[in-house]
């Protein structure tokens, strides 16, 4: 095994795909059900270095400028990583067959209520702040997700602006359709939407970066909690170089969150699935923080877990 920056271990290119291990991991996530309904089972084992479905990612979400945005910006580094390590242990105790990988999911492009100098209703974080996140992750052997809230910009433009980071083997990408204001609305005044063509353009670009830089597969997380947030989802293209995760981003009671997952995430997932847990908002909206064992009962079990 080789180690890339950040301590993430990847299989060398000479290692042949392990079809048996791949199918065993998928059957485990599907609770033993036949895999005929799941698109993830159609493509064969992933490329060397792929994290999914062999690992479960446990991520902390937020922005260093805004403690209210998520846990990532709410605690100092040592306390943050100690708390994240505690969550990872809970997930591994609930599912001992899939090891966990820690992640920092940093909102690198934030939607804004004001247009800004270029009229795009979004703010790009300075490289100094992104560098802080990458450095923090590598000190603790975590991976990084850079999240994009487009505002009035477009996802591919904002992705390309992060190319220098995405060319790193331990940096991945998130897209938030909630703030993709295709109708020209002010962010937060309405729920945005993103179509499959936009997502496919981004994943195509990520695939190019993987090929050109000899990288392990990238992970692309797309957030969703309504049907309209992602349109034409059945046309999302799966690529060997990109592992796709549709992440259930809704809050509320466990019953509401599970219903949302079943309706918009787990019913016909384009590939893999994720689930978000809100430390503050779930309890404040009639719910509570769900336990790993509860989340793992979902079909299929999520391989990406995000705490906000």
């Amino acid at each position: 095994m080789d180690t890339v920056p950040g301590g993430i271990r990847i299989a060398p290119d000479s290692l042949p795909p392990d079809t048996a291990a791949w199918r065993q991991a998928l059957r485990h996530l599907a609770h033993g059900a036949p895999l005929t309904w799941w698109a993830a089972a159609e493509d064969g084992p992933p490329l060397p270095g792929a994290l999914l479905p062999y690992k479960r990612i446990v991520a902390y979400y937020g922005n260093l400028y805004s403690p209210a945005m998520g846990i990532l910006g709410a605690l100092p580094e040592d306390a943050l990583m100690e708390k994240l390590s505690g969550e990872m242990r809970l997930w591994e105790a609930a599912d001992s067959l899939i090891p966990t990988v820690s992640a920092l999911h940093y909102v690198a492009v934030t939607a804004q209520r004001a247009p800004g100098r270029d009229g795009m209703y979004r703010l790009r974080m300075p490289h100094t702040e992104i560098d802080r996140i990458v450095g923090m992750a590598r000190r603790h052997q975590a991976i990084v997700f850079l999240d994009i809230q487009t505002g009035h910009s477009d996802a591919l433009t904002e992705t390309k602006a992060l190319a220098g980071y995405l060319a790193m083997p331990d940096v991945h990408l998130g897209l938030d359709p909630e703030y993709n204001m295709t109708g020209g609305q002010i962010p937060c005044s309405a729920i945005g939407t993103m179509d499959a063509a936009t997502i496919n353009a981004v994943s195509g670009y990520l695939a190019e970066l993987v090929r050109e830089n000899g990288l392990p597969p990238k992970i692309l997380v797309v957030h969703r909690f309504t049907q309209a947030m992602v349109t034409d989802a059945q046309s999302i293209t799966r690529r060997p170089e990109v592992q796709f995760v549709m992440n259930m981003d809704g809050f509320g009671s466990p019953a509401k969150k599970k219903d949302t997952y079943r309706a918009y995430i787990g019913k016909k997932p384009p590939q893999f699935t994720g689930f978000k847990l809100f430390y503050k908002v779930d309890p404040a909206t009639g719910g509570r923080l769900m336990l790993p064992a509860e989340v793992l009962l979902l079909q299929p079990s999520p391989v990406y877990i995000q705490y906000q």
Side-chain angles (χ1 to χ4, degrees), residues 192-205:
T193 185
M194 189 173 288
D195 60 18
T198 299
I199 295 169
N200 290 341
V202 170
S203 70
Y205 178 71

Side-chain angles (χ1 to χ4, degrees), residues 1-258:
M1 301 289 282
D2 295 331
T3 303
V4 302
I8 306 307
R9 299 177 68 79
I10 64 172
D13 291 341
S14 59
L15 188 67
D18 190 337
T19 301
W22 166 74
R23 292 196 67 84
Q24 182 180 10
L26 289 185
R27 283 195 294 267
H28 175 67
L29 294 170
H31 305 290
L35 300 176
T36 52
W37 58 275
W38 194 2
E42 297 176 4
D43 303 321
L47 295 177
L51 291 177
L52 308 178
Y54 311 116
K55 309 285 188 180
R56 176 169 285 110
I57 297 166
V58 182
Y60 268 4
Y61 171 99
N63 181 282
L64 298 180
Y65 286 154
S66 177
M69 187 175 288
I71 186 67
L72 180 53
L75 293 175
E77 178 178 335
D78 289 344
L80 179 85
M81 299 311 297
E82 183 178 356
K83 187 174 179 65
L84 178 54
S85 294
E87 297 292 4
M88 292 171 64
R89 289 192 293 271
L90 293 177
W91 285 95
E92 290 191 342
D95 183 359
S96 61
L97 296 182
I98 298 188
T100 59
V101 173
S102 60
L104 302 181
H105 196 119
Y106 179 67
V107 186
V109 182
T110 62
Q112 302 289 308
R113 295 177 184 270
R117 292 181 180 179
D118 58 5
M120 289 297 174
Y121 288 86
R122 60 93 178 93
L123 179 65
R124 293 173 175 171
M125 296 298 103
H127 287 183
T128 53
E129 292 300 291
I130 301 176
D131 290 342
R132 285 180 62 192
I133 289 295
V134 173
M136 186 188 306
R138 290 178 176 175
R139 283 190 292 275
H140 298 274
Q141 296 191 340
I143 61 175
V144 172
F145 287 84
L146 299 180
D147 205 76
I148 293 173
Q149 300 176 354
T150 52
H152 288 193
S153 184
D154 67 273
L156 183 58
T157 295
E158 298 306 320
T159 299
K160 289 182 175 180
L162 296 168
Y165 293 101
L166 293 170
M168 299 174 181
D170 49 345
V171 178
H172 304 272
L173 187 68
L175 298 177
D176 198 341
E178 180 181 0
Y179 302 101
N180 190 54
M181 314 312 294
T182 56
Q185 310 98 322
I186 295 174
C188 299
S189 68
I191 297 174
T193 185
M194 189 173 288
D195 60 18
T198 299
I199 295 169
N200 290 341
V202 170
S203 70
Y205 178 71
L206 291 177
E208 290 178 13
L209 287 178
V210 168
R211 292 191 296 267
E212 291 171 359
N213 294 280
L215 302 172
K218 290 291 174 188
I219 300 172
L220 174 60
V221 173
V222 175
H223 307 296
R224 187 183 199 183
F225 57 84
T226 72
Q227 183 77 19
M229 278 179 68
V230 180
T231 58
D232 198 25
Q234 70 276 7
S235 298
I236 291 174
T237 300
R238 300 192 304 279
R239 309 178 192 275
E241 303 87 353
V242 180
Q243 299 198 287
F244 186 87
V245 174
M246 192 75 84
N247 182 44
M248 200 295 289
D249 196 31
F251 55 80
S253 69
K256 180 180 179 181
K257 292 171 74 80
K258 288 187 284 187

